[in-house]
């Protein structure tokens, strides 16, 4: 379908950030066009698809059961020395999504609320014109120019549009996770599925390896690494090794690679007539690289501020800056803490991971024996047990 030449709000990118913003703005009665450059929303999946259940329910409300690939009952840590530490809860503590269906479902909800959704449409060359924007849209080998009052860049880590606007600079290597992942079959199913974290320099230098269950004998097996510590293409080679050594029974079905922002400090996410959402804004959590929940929360906030600004008619940077302010005081605050934690994590060597998992195991043994405390008391006990860890953690205080 040919894109229109004028719309009130243009949202670029139909990932969780873009679709959620489109949904909320359409519900607020605004005229919204959501464009996605790929032929199919949610495909290919470049994500391990795990997240906490609570945020998803809080932001989205009712979930479609088909979006959930597997519940998660806890986690298993694997140290470089082979030690395995498990925590298993009685009830699910998280989930692994089916992003293909989730992304598609969220965009469908936005369309049902009144947003126009177009795939195979790439937005580029945005320029300010009067009080709005003129943006080129490429579809079916043709280009049209579209005028909009408000532009929302939700174009992910590639962020070509945000970069063309000069607001978001290319990510420095040190502020990225470089990832590779395989969808695999043939694993032993678990009655209470856990997510695995493989730690240490052999598994994933400056990052971690994962196995996230996706139902039955299937899982996402992947890893992220800290790019300055490895050469180009290292993530794929390390993935092949992880699969061979730790999951010899697994058979890979699909491979994917990608990056996740891991910002040291926040960036500008607002300008005249412009808001940046999700990975494009660098909103993924810097330690784990989890970005789905933050993209959804940022979208919810951006949509509220945008709806208010559209109502008042003030779409200037000043009129929109509540988005940056409220983000910074809320989720942004925890991201700053996680950025410090990443610095600490990057200072750890294999000996530290071995110590940390041994101490964690001892503390969890006390929990299992009935002496359950808070997560904070658990971590404090782990730190106190290793002077070397404590020394490395000093800048967290
Ligand atoms: C290997 C890997 C594993 C991950 N695992 C997890 C995990 O387990 N849990 C978690 O929470 N997070 C995970 N993440 C991060 C998560 O995938 C992202 O944080 C999340 O997808 C961000 O959502 P978003 O809407 O901001 O961007 P995206 O989901 O990237 O969506 C952006 C969309 O914009 C489109 N687009 C880009 N440019 C244009 C343009 N010019 N015109 C039109 N469309 C455009 C893209 O095609 C894309 O569909 C992982 C990431 C990777 C790479």
């Amino acid at each position: 379908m040919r894109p229109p030449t004028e719309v009130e709000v243009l949202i670029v990118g139909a990932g969780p950030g873009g679709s959620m913003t489109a949904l909320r703005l359409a519900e607020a009665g605004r005229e919204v066009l959501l464009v996605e450059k790929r032929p199919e929303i949610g495909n290919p999946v470049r994500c391990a698809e795990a997240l906490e259940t609570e945020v998803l329910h809080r932001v989205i409300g009712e979930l479609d059961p088909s979006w959930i690939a597997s519940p998660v009952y806890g986690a298993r840590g694997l140290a470089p020395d082979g030690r395995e530490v498990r925590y298993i809860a009685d009830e699910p503590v998280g989930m692994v999504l089916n992003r293909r269906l989730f992304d598609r479902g969220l965009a469908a909800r936005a369309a049902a609320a009144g947003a126009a959704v177009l795939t195979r449409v790439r937005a580029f060359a945005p320029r300010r014109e009067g009080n709005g924007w003129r943006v080129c849209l490429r579809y079916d080998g043709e280009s049209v120019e579209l005028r909009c009052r408000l532009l929302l860049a939700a174009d992910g880590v590639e962020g070509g549009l945000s970069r063309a606007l000069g607001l978001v600079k290319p990510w420095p290597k040190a502020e990225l996770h470089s990832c590779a992942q395989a969808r695999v079959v043939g694993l032993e199913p678990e009655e209470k599925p856990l997510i695995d974290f493989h730690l240490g320099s052999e598994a994933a230098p400056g990052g971690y390896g994962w196995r996230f269950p996706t139902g039955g004998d299937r899982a996402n097996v992947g890893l992220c690494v800290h790019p300055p510590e490895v050469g180009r293409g290292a993530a794929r080679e390390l993935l092949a090794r992880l699969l061979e050594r730790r999951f010899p029974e697994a058979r890979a079905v699909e491979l994917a690679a990608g990056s996740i922002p891991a910002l040291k400090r926040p960036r500008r996410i607002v300008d005249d007539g412009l808001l940046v959402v999700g990975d494009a804004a660098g909103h993924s959590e810097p330690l784990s690289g989890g970005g789905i929940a933050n993209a959804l929360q940022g979208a919810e906030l951006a949509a509220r501020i945008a709806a208010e600004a559209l109502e008042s008619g003030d779409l200037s940077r000043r009129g929109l800056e509540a988005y940056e302010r409220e983000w910074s005081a809320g989720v942004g605050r925890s991201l700053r803490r996680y950025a410090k934690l990443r610095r600490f994590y990057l200072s750890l060597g294999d000996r530290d991971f071995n110590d940390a998992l041994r101490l964690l195991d001892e503390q969890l043994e006390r929990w299992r024996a009935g002496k359950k405390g808070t997560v904070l008391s658990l971590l404090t006990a782990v730190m106190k047990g290793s002077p070397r860890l404590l020394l490395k953690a000093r800048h967290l205080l």
Side-chain angles (χ1 to χ4, degrees):
M1 206 203 314
R2 193 180 166 83
T5 51
E6 193 140 0
V7 75
E8 189 176 39
V9 184
L10 172 67
I11 302 178
V12 178
S19 291
M20 190 69 207
T21 317
L23 169 61
R24 291 294 182 245
L25 277 172
E27 283 172 347
R30 309 315 313 192
E31 187 198 16
V32 177
L33 171 64
L34 172 65
V35 295
E36 168 56 51
K37 68 179 180 182
R38 295 174 179 170
E40 264 180 56
I41 291 170
N43 188 24
V45 176
R46 277 197 222 130
C47 183
E49 309 172 290
L51 85 169
E52 261 180 64
T53 314
E54 190 269 326
V55 177
L56 204 59
H57 280 295
R58 181 157 43 80
V59 179
I60 298 186
E62 206 187 316
L63 307 182
D64 186 316
S66 73
W67 296 350
I68 302 162
S70 172
V72 170
Y73 283 83
R76 180 168 34 226
L78 293 106
D81 63 6
R83 178 186 293 270
E84 203 179 297
V85 182
R86 289 164 193 237
Y87 174 75
I88 308 176
D90 296 332
E91 298 295 326
V93 290
M95 63 171 72
V96 180
L97 285 172
N98 179 327
R99 281 264 329 245
R100 204 163 273 171
L101 298 182
F102 174 71
D103 284 24
R104 216 171 283 177
L106 212 52
R109 284 195 185 181
V117 182
L118 293 180
T119 55
R120 290 180 197 269
V121 175
R122 186 171 70 85
F124 66 103
R127 61 180 195 277
R128 195 83 180 127
E129 190 181 79
N131 286 334
W133 290 94
R134 196 172 272 277
V135 182
C136 294
L137 300 180
R138 183 113 188 126
Y139 80 103
D140 270 356
E142 286 183 44
S143 292
V144 288
E145 285 203 343
L146 169 133
R147 266 190 56 76
C148 61
R149 287 179 71 199
L150 182 67
L151 178 58
L152 261 135
D155 47 342
V157 67
E158 295 158 20
L161 190 88
S162 332
R163 252 179 263 159
L165 293 162
L167 194 65
V168 174
K169 306 263 180 312
W171 314 108
K173 258 172 130 184
E175 295 186 47
L176 280 174
H177 295 277
S178 172
C179 316
Q181 178 178 271
R183 288 182 175 278
V184 306
V185 297
L187 299 174
E188 188 65 36
E190 291 183 308
E191 200 182 313
K192 284 190 160 187
L194 303 179
I195 53 178
D196 286 1
F197 295 99
H198 298 250
L199 307 178
S201 58
E202 192 211 285
Y208 61 91
W210 64 73
R211 180 184 77 154
F212 294 171
T214 52
D217 69 342
R218 300 181 304 276
N220 294 328
V221 175
L223 55 86
C224 58
V225 290
H226 184 220
E229 290 183 37
V230 294
R232 245 178 107 81
R236 284 169 196 256
E237 283 163 28
L238 287 162
L239 174 63
R241 199 164 73 187
L242 186 77
L243 284 166
E244 193 184 298
R245 295 197 180 163
R246 306 210 179 173
F247 304 98
E249 72 282 30
R251 291 187 303 282
V253 180
E254 274 173 47
L255 292 172
S259 302
I260 313 175
L263 291 199
K264 288 184 181 160
R265 54 191 70 83
R267 295 184 166 198
R268 241 175 75 201
I269 51 175
V270 169
D271 210 338
D272 291 327
L274 172 72
L275 298 171
V276 189
V277 170
D279 272 13
H283 282 172
S284 38
E285 187 265 272
L287 181 65
S288 69
I292 307 168
N294 289 352
L296 293 171
Q297 293 181 95
E300 180 109 310
L301 178 62
R304 176 166 62 76
I305 303 298
E308 285 166 11
L310 286 161
E311 202 58 43
S312 73
D314 182 3
L315 294 174
S316 68
R317 185 173 169 193
R318 272 180 78 113
L320 294 169
E321 72 187 2
Y323 170 52
E324 197 162 296
R325 209 175 39 246
E326 289 188 34
W327 177 264
S328 174
V331 181
R333 234 171 108 175
S334 80
L335 294 190
R336 293 194 291 279
R337 274 200 298 270
Y338 278 111
K340 278 188 175 181
L341 274 172
R342 181 168 196 246
R343 219 173 103 199
F344 165 63
Y345 187 85
L346 289 173
S347 74
L348 302 180
D350 286 355
R351 247 176 92 191
D352 301 311
F353 286 124
N354 291 336
D355 281 358
L357 263 69
R358 176 179 49 78
L359 291 159
L360 188 65
D361 206 15
E362 284 168 19
Q363 291 306 315
L364 285 173
E365 203 45 61
R366 289 165 62 91
W367 275 30
R368 286 189 278 269
K371 291 191 180 140
K372 208 163 178 171
T374 61
V375 174
L376 188 66
S377 67
L378 184 101
L379 294 178
T380 311
V382 169
M383 287 294 178
K384 280 187 179 161
S386 165
R388 217 180 40 253
L389 278 176
L390 203 57
L391 193 68
K392 289 186 174 178
R394 67 192 182 284
H395 69 264
L396 295 177
L397 306 170

PDB file of all heavy atoms in Angstrom, residues 37 60 210 215 234 245 269 311 387:
ATOM      1  N   LYS A  37      10.725  -1.442   8.014  1.00  0.00           N
ATOM      2  CA  LYS A  37      11.417  -1.709   6.741  1.00  0.00           C
ATOM      3  C   LYS A  37      11.391  -3.180   6.330  1.00  0.00           C
ATOM      4  O   LYS A  37      11.480  -3.503   5.156  1.00  0.00           O
ATOM      5  CB  LYS A  37      12.855  -1.185   6.799  1.00  0.00           C
ATOM      6  CG  LYS A  37      13.749  -1.919   7.756  1.00  0.00           C
ATOM      7  CD  LYS A  37      15.156  -1.359   7.734  1.00  0.00           C
ATOM      8  CE  LYS A  37      16.036  -2.117   8.706  1.00  0.00           C
ATOM      9  NZ  LYS A  37      17.385  -1.632   8.790  1.00  0.00           N
ATOM     10  N   ILE A  60       1.670  -3.849  29.421  1.00  0.00           N
ATOM     11  CA  ILE A  60       0.775  -4.280  28.344  1.00  0.00           C
ATOM     12  C   ILE A  60      -0.599  -4.685  28.855  1.00  0.00           C
ATOM     13  O   ILE A  60      -1.592  -4.541  28.162  1.00  0.00           O
ATOM     14  CB  ILE A  60       1.406  -5.460  27.559  1.00  0.00           C
ATOM     15  CG1 ILE A  60       2.700  -4.991  26.921  1.00  0.00           C
ATOM     16  CG2 ILE A  60       0.459  -6.004  26.498  1.00  0.00           C
ATOM     17  CD1 ILE A  60       3.342  -5.987  26.011  1.00  0.00           C
ATOM     18  N   TRP A 210      24.383 -18.014  27.101  1.00  0.00           N
ATOM     19  CA  TRP A 210      23.058 -18.320  27.651  1.00  0.00           C
ATOM     20  C   TRP A 210      22.433 -19.525  26.967  1.00  0.00           C
ATOM     21  O   TRP A 210      22.762 -19.866  25.835  1.00  0.00           O
ATOM     22  CB  TRP A 210      22.125 -17.112  27.532  1.00  0.00           C
ATOM     23  CG  TRP A 210      21.793 -16.670  26.129  1.00  0.00           C
ATOM     24  CD1 TRP A 210      20.963 -17.304  25.246  1.00  0.00           C
ATOM     25  CD2 TRP A 210      22.268 -15.502  25.453  1.00  0.00           C
ATOM     26  NE1 TRP A 210      20.895 -16.586  24.075  1.00  0.00           N
ATOM     27  CE2 TRP A 210      21.686 -15.473  24.176  1.00  0.00           C
ATOM     28  CE3 TRP A 210      23.128 -14.455  25.816  1.00  0.00           C
ATOM     29  CZ2 TRP A 210      21.931 -14.473  23.241  1.00  0.00           C
ATOM     30  CZ3 TRP A 210      23.378 -13.448  24.891  1.00  0.00           C
ATOM     31  CH2 TRP A 210      22.788 -13.457  23.621  1.00  0.00           C
ATOM     32  N   GLY A 215      10.548 -23.984  25.110  1.00  0.00           N
ATOM     33  CA  GLY A 215       9.482 -24.988  25.111  1.00  0.00           C
ATOM     34  C   GLY A 215       9.997 -26.337  24.637  1.00  0.00           C
ATOM     35  O   GLY A 215      10.718 -26.414  23.644  1.00  0.00           O
ATOM     36  N   ALA A 234      34.238 -12.734  16.416  1.00  0.00           N
ATOM     37  CA  ALA A 234      34.535 -13.672  17.509  1.00  0.00           C
ATOM     38  C   ALA A 234      33.275 -14.279  18.094  1.00  0.00           C
ATOM     39  O   ALA A 234      33.276 -15.456  18.487  1.00  0.00           O
ATOM     40  CB  ALA A 234      35.321 -12.966  18.600  1.00  0.00           C
ATOM     41  N   ARG A 245      30.965 -27.747  22.779  1.00  0.00           N
ATOM     42  CA  ARG A 245      31.484 -28.266  24.054  1.00  0.00           C
ATOM     43  C   ARG A 245      30.388 -28.485  25.091  1.00  0.00           C
ATOM     44  O   ARG A 245      30.460 -29.403  25.885  1.00  0.00           O
ATOM     45  CB  ARG A 245      32.506 -27.295  24.632  1.00  0.00           C
ATOM     46  CG  ARG A 245      33.710 -27.216  23.743  1.00  0.00           C
ATOM     47  CD  ARG A 245      34.879 -26.607  24.453  1.00  0.00           C
ATOM     48  NE  ARG A 245      36.007 -26.556  23.536  1.00  0.00           N
ATOM     49  CZ  ARG A 245      37.053 -25.817  23.720  1.00  0.00           C
ATOM     50  NH1 ARG A 245      37.153 -25.056  24.787  1.00  0.00           N
ATOM     51  NH2 ARG A 245      38.049 -25.821  22.857  1.00  0.00           N
ATOM     52  N   ILE A 269      17.523  12.230  24.148  1.00  0.00           N
ATOM     53  CA  ILE A 269      16.506  11.415  23.476  1.00  0.00           C
ATOM     54  C   ILE A 269      15.327  12.269  23.001  1.00  0.00           C
ATOM     55  O   ILE A 269      14.301  11.741  22.591  1.00  0.00           O
ATOM     56  CB  ILE A 269      16.023  10.271  24.405  1.00  0.00           C
ATOM     57  CG1 ILE A 269      15.605  10.796  25.791  1.00  0.00           C
ATOM     58  CG2 ILE A 269      17.098   9.206  24.549  1.00  0.00           C
ATOM     59  CD1 ILE A 269      14.996   9.721  26.700  1.00  0.00           C
ATOM     60  N   GLU A 311      -1.676  17.617  22.289  1.00  0.00           N
ATOM     61  CA  GLU A 311      -2.909  18.255  22.774  1.00  0.00           C
ATOM     62  C   GLU A 311      -2.670  19.750  23.023  1.00  0.00           C
ATOM     63  O   GLU A 311      -3.468  20.592  22.627  1.00  0.00           O
ATOM     64  CB  GLU A 311      -3.318  17.555  24.086  1.00  0.00           C
ATOM     65  CG  GLU A 311      -4.759  17.682  24.481  1.00  0.00           C
ATOM     66  CD  GLU A 311      -5.718  17.145  23.427  1.00  0.00           C
ATOM     67  OE1 GLU A 311      -5.465  16.079  22.865  1.00  0.00           O
ATOM     68  OE2 GLU A 311      -6.721  17.863  23.171  1.00  0.00           O
ATOM     69  N   PRO A 387      37.642 -11.097  49.583  1.00  0.00           N
ATOM     70  CA  PRO A 387      38.253  -9.768  49.646  1.00  0.00           C
ATOM     71  C   PRO A 387      38.566  -9.230  48.244  1.00  0.00           C
ATOM     72  O   PRO A 387      38.463  -8.028  48.003  1.00  0.00           O
ATOM     73  CB  PRO A 387      39.536  -9.993  50.442  1.00  0.00           C
ATOM     74  CG  PRO A 387      39.338 -11.274  51.163  1.00  0.00           C
ATOM     75  CD  PRO A 387      38.386 -12.088  50.357  1.00  0.00           C
TER      76      PRO A 387
END
